[in-house]
Amino acid sequence: DTGVSQDPRHKITKRGQNVTFRCDPISEHNRLYWYRQTLGQGPEFLTYFQNEAQLEKSRLLSDRFSAERPKGSFSTLEIQRTEQGDSAMYLCASSFSSTGTGAEKLFFGSGTQLSVL
Amino acid sequence: SQQGEEDPQALSIQEGENATMNCSYKTSINNLQWYRQNSGRGLVHLILIRSNEREKHSGRLRVTLDTSKKSSSLLITASRAADTASYFCATDVAGGTSYGKLTFGQGTILTVHP
């Protein structure tokens, strides 16, 4: 177990292109989270999954954003028709919760830095 | 929107000194957590304190929680240059439909000079 891994580490794209990021959580973790972080700010919640079910989506997640977690394992975050305002660090995190409620400690990946030109 | 607000935004100290960071939040919580982030990296969990706890220790870290004031503090004792990082508080908001997610503050940038 090497922790949460994210791919790619860096992505440069032109405005209007689609991009997809992948996150592989810690294998026994049932929860997976996506956050977005811009320079000088704290991470902002985007969405999270419990197993394969997407339980909550932030209003920040416009219809250009879609996240999936097939079979409750890895997850992908796709951004369609990218805009310059999408430039940010996209962080994935995972955790294990046995109670079904409450947030336990999160294990973060190193993030994917997206630059939209 | 950010649930927690950290104070100060930036803190600069000498090695060996103690560093105290504060976090205020707005709504009832299940727990409050502190994370550290080195530049350009992911966040690392430091400590979790539940709403029915008032103080927790972990190594050189001491966290307090005052739910009546909706505030928390993180104390790092005998700081080292390697403690230089951004520190974030994060709250697990109680009730409603927000269970299971953490809401982060804007962070405190700590610089420890050798």
Side-chain angles (χ1 to χ4, degrees):
Chain A
D1 175 17
T2 56
V4 178
S5 62
Q6 292 188 246
D7 183 67
R9 284 295 317 277
H10 304 274
K11 179 70 177 178
I12 300 173
T13 191
K14 292 182 179 178
R15 191 176 52 188
Q17 297 294 305
N18 300 344
V19 295
T20 300
F21 311 140
R22 178 181 171 118
C23 171
D24 286 272
I26 293 172
S27 57
E28 63 267 26
H29 284 183
N30 54 359
R31 285 187 175 171
L32 186 148
Y33 301 78
W34 286 98
Y35 284 84
R36 181 172 71 184
Q37 186 178 26
T38 53
L39 198 62
Q41 301 294 314
E44 293 179 297
F45 172 80
L46 292 179
T47 188
Y48 92 100
F49 296 83
Q50 177 141 332
N51 301 311
E52 66 276 8
Q54 190 171 18
L55 295 189
E56 188 171 345
K57 291 170 60 174
S58 164
R59 274 172 267 171
L60 292 174
L61 216 66
S62 74
D63 57 4
R64 296 185 299 106
F65 288 71
S66 63
E68 294 183 343
R69 192 185 183 197
K71 302 178 184 177
S73 56
F74 71 92
S75 176
T76 57
L77 178 67
E78 180 183 17
I79 309 174
Q80 296 182 326
R81 305 180 304 281
T82 52
E83 302 172 355
Q84 287 185 325
D86 296 332
S87 295
M89 172 81 85
Y90 289 83
L91 293 162
C92 175
S94 69
S95 71
F96 178 77
S97 175
S98 59
T99 62
T101 61
E104 300 302 322
K105 73 178 187 179
L106 302 187
F107 293 78
F108 280 84
S110 295
T112 294
Q113 182 66 52
L114 173 66
S115 298
V116 181
L117 305 178
Chain B
S1 64
Q2 303 284 338
Q3 151 83 325
E5 293 185 1
E6 276 108 327
D7 172 60
Q9 290 187 330
L11 181 60
S12 181
I13 60 174
Q14 295 295 126
E15 212 166 25
E17 294 180 340
N18 295 342
T20 299
M21 289 159 265
N22 302 296
C23 169
S24 60
Y25 57 92
K26 299 173 185 172
T27 60
S28 296
I29 60 172
N30 294 314
N31 67 62
L32 184 144
Q33 303 180 30
W34 286 89
Y35 287 80
R36 185 179 93 175
Q37 184 178 36
N38 289 90
S39 181
R41 308 293 296 181
L43 285 77
V44 175
H45 180 268
L46 295 176
I47 198 164
L48 180 155
I49 186 165
R50 300 194 186 278
S51 59
N52 60 354
E53 297 175 314
R54 292 296 167 258
E55 186 171 314
K56 280 190 86 168
H57 296 256
S58 177
R60 294 185 294 114
L61 305 180
R62 172 179 170 250
V63 169
T64 61
L65 179 65
D66 187 335
T67 52
S68 66
K69 295 182 179 177
K70 292 186 170 57
S71 68
S72 173
S73 68
L74 171 67
L75 168 67
I76 304 173
T77 60
S79 63
R80 305 165 182 168
D83 295 329
T84 295
S86 294
Y87 291 81
F88 296 91
C89 70
T91 51
D92 174 20
V93 175
T97 59
S98 295
Y99 72 87
K101 78 176 191 190
L102 288 181
T103 304
F104 286 81
Q106 293 186 329
T108 293
I109 300 171
L110 173 66
T111 303
V112 181
H113 300 281

